[in-house]
Amino acid sequence: MISNVLQIKNLQKGFKDTQVVNLSSLSVQQGEIYGFLGPNGAGKTTTMKMILSLISRKAGEIEVFGQPIGTDKQYLNQIGSMIEEPSYYPNLTGYENLLVFQKILGFDKKNIQETLKIVGLDQPKNKKKLVKDYSLGMKQRLALAFALVKKPRLLILDEPTNGLDPAGIHEIRELIIKLAKEQGITVFISTHILSEVEHIADRVGIINHGQLVYEGEIRKIQSNKWLEVRGDFRDRREVISQVLFGYPCKMLEIQEDKLKLTNLADQQISSLLRDLIVEKVPIYEVKQEQETLESIFLNLTKE
Ligand SMILES: Nc1ncnc2c1ncn2[C@@H]1O[C@H](COP(=O)(O)OP(=O)(O)OP(=O)(O)O)[C@@H](O)[C@H]1O
Ligand SMILES: [Mg+2]
């Protein structure tokens, strides 16, 4: 049975008279990495804050681990979040900051050193460094340590790689995959780096003006492929149709200079091209194309 770790129904939020979130349904399943995407101001952070009870909601339901969230905030013990820069003590080290957190929340103290190692802040040179002297990337890592140190079952990460260098982005990405696939932690993550989402997410949801406009599996997006043929197809539509008749492919589009075909096996491509050339159809270029998250995102969110 697939169990939902997070389920949102008819969730609404407005500020003054403006509605900023209106999510009819969204669910995140156990162990998956769900990429929560949308342009600036779409409502991602606001949604995450409502899940974490940091702000109130106008209407709707949020269930975490099968329980509707309400006045009892116990569910937060099982969630690690990185949503805004945590309030650090700038004159303490990373370890000491986590120790303060440990005293408040009471999780196992041995988690601290383990977590600093996981996020890559355990090198001897950083041991004595005060947080006020941290680089942006180090602060991001410490924020991730805050999210992980209580060993949560669900991670809610709002743009966790913001401000990191390419190596840092790669490391955090690999870490998130490891946490999900090896430890079964469910991850709900927002980011603007679509190539990153394509690498890590199992599913994505795109919101625009507070509404979910797309939801799908990354694997399915990438398996949507077609063949794009560039040539001179003026006055050749009939002969092209006759040639295509012998193949199981589907014509997606035909223009004067462009033909898009799908559902063709590799062996059929060469034979089809040969047949077109025999019929004197001028062909200049042939390439395999596949759907990208970027094209879906741009199509659905353009103003
Ligand atoms: N406290 C607030 N008061 C008034 N308006 C707010 C408040 N918080 C957020 N908003 C508005 O709600 C909308 C959604 O903001 P939100 O921060 O959720 O967007 P986002 O999808 O996280 O964007 P980004 O990608 O830029 O982080 C925006 O128009 C924002 O201005
Ligand atoms: Mg945001």
Side-chain angles (χ1 to χ4, degrees):
M1 193 186 83
I2 299 170
S3 56
N4 287 331
V5 164
L6 172 67
Q7 177 128 38
I8 287 173
K9 285 183 211 148
N10 302 318
L11 182 65
Q12 294 188 23
K13 176 75 184 172
F15 291 106
K16 299 222 170 86
D17 294 337
T18 320
Q19 186 160 50
V20 298
V21 172
N22 183 9
L23 282 174
S24 55
S25 168
L26 187 154
S27 55
V28 180
Q29 290 150 17
Q30 168 70 48
E32 80 173 336
I33 302 180
Y34 187 105
F36 193 42
L37 313 175
N40 292 129
K44 303 179 296 297
T45 303
T46 306
T47 302
M48 288 177 158
K49 283 184 176 171
M50 285 190 278
I51 300 167
L52 293 164
S53 294
L54 291 170
I55 53 171
S56 63
R57 58 199 126 114
K58 185 170 140 205
E61 267 193 43
I62 300 172
E63 281 183 15
V64 178
F65 304 113
Q67 297 294 322
I69 65 169
T71 43
D72 183 0
K73 300 288 178 282
Q74 280 292 323
Y75 78 99
L76 291 172
N77 292 337
Q78 310 204 58
I79 304 183
S81 64
M82 184 175 166
I83 195 147
E84 280 171 340
E85 202 174 288
S87 338
Y88 305 114
Y89 292 95
N91 291 315
L92 298 181
T93 64
Y95 184 92
E96 289 162 346
N97 265 281
L98 288 168
L99 196 60
V100 174
F101 201 47
Q102 189 266 336
K103 295 239 162 75
I104 299 167
L105 292 180
F107 50 81
D108 198 336
K109 199 169 156 185
K110 79 171 176 18
N111 294 3
I112 300 178
Q113 198 49 43
E114 256 175 52
T115 310
L116 286 172
K117 186 161 191 255
I118 290 174
V119 301
L121 280 178
D122 65 327
Q123 305 96 323
K125 66 172 180 177
N126 292 329
K127 245 189 177 137
K128 293 211 169 105
K129 199 171 244 181
L130 303 180
V131 170
K132 66 176 179 192
D133 298 327
Y134 272 17
S135 70
L136 180 62
M138 290 173 79
K139 282 191 187 140
Q140 288 289 88
R141 284 164 201 271
L142 185 60
L144 197 56
F146 270 90
L148 289 173
V149 74
K150 52 183 175 173
K151 300 210 181 240
R153 288 166 66 198
L154 168 63
L155 269 180
I156 296 185
L157 306 174
D158 194 12
E159 301 188 43
T161 51
N162 205 2
L164 292 181
D165 61 20
I169 292 176
H170 181 257
E171 256 178 67
I172 298 291
R173 186 170 84 197
E174 295 305 306
L175 175 60
I176 292 169
I177 295 175
K178 211 166 135 199
L179 290 167
K181 304 305 162 204
E182 289 178 14
Q183 297 185 30
I185 299 179
T186 308
V187 184
F188 186 58
I189 177 174
S190 86
T191 172
H192 288 293
I193 311 172
L194 299 182
S195 57
E196 175 178 89
V197 181
E198 279 181 319
H199 272 104
I200 69 170
D202 300 298
R203 275 195 312 144
V204 289
I206 301 176
I207 65 164
N208 197 21
H209 302 299
Q211 298 193 351
L212 196 69
V213 291
Y214 180 86
E215 193 170 60
E217 284 177 45
I218 289 287
R219 217 164 17 115
K220 287 213 177 124
I221 295 173
Q222 289 166 340
S223 66
N224 192 6
K225 294 185 174 148
W226 63 89
L227 192 73
E228 194 168 304
V229 187
R230 203 168 60 78
D232 185 352
F233 309 133
R234 281 173 298 179
D235 309 321
R236 304 249 179 23
R237 286 184 185 218
E238 198 149 318
V239 67
I240 290 170
S241 294
Q242 279 165 9
V243 170
L244 290 181
F245 192 70
Y247 293 86
C249 66
K250 188 172 156 211
M251 185 157 67
L252 296 173
E253 190 182 323
I254 182 160
Q255 291 178 18
E256 286 188 353
D257 59 349
K258 194 164 72 178
L259 179 63
K260 278 190 188 178
L261 305 167
T262 188
N263 207 17
L264 271 172
D266 284 352
Q267 311 85 299
Q268 291 165 336
I269 295 173
S270 59
S271 131
L272 170 71
L273 291 172
R274 195 183 51 232
D275 290 356
L276 288 171
I277 290 163
V278 167
E279 293 296 335
K280 302 201 165 39
V281 177
I283 289 172
Y284 308 142
E285 189 183 6
V286 181
K287 53 186 176 184
Q288 288 266 21
E289 295 277 8
Q290 75 174 40
E291 188 153 45
T292 61
L293 187 53
E294 185 176 56
S295 62
I296 294 174
F297 184 95
L298 293 175
N299 270 329
L300 291 173
T301 60
K302 68 179 170 221
E303 292 301 317

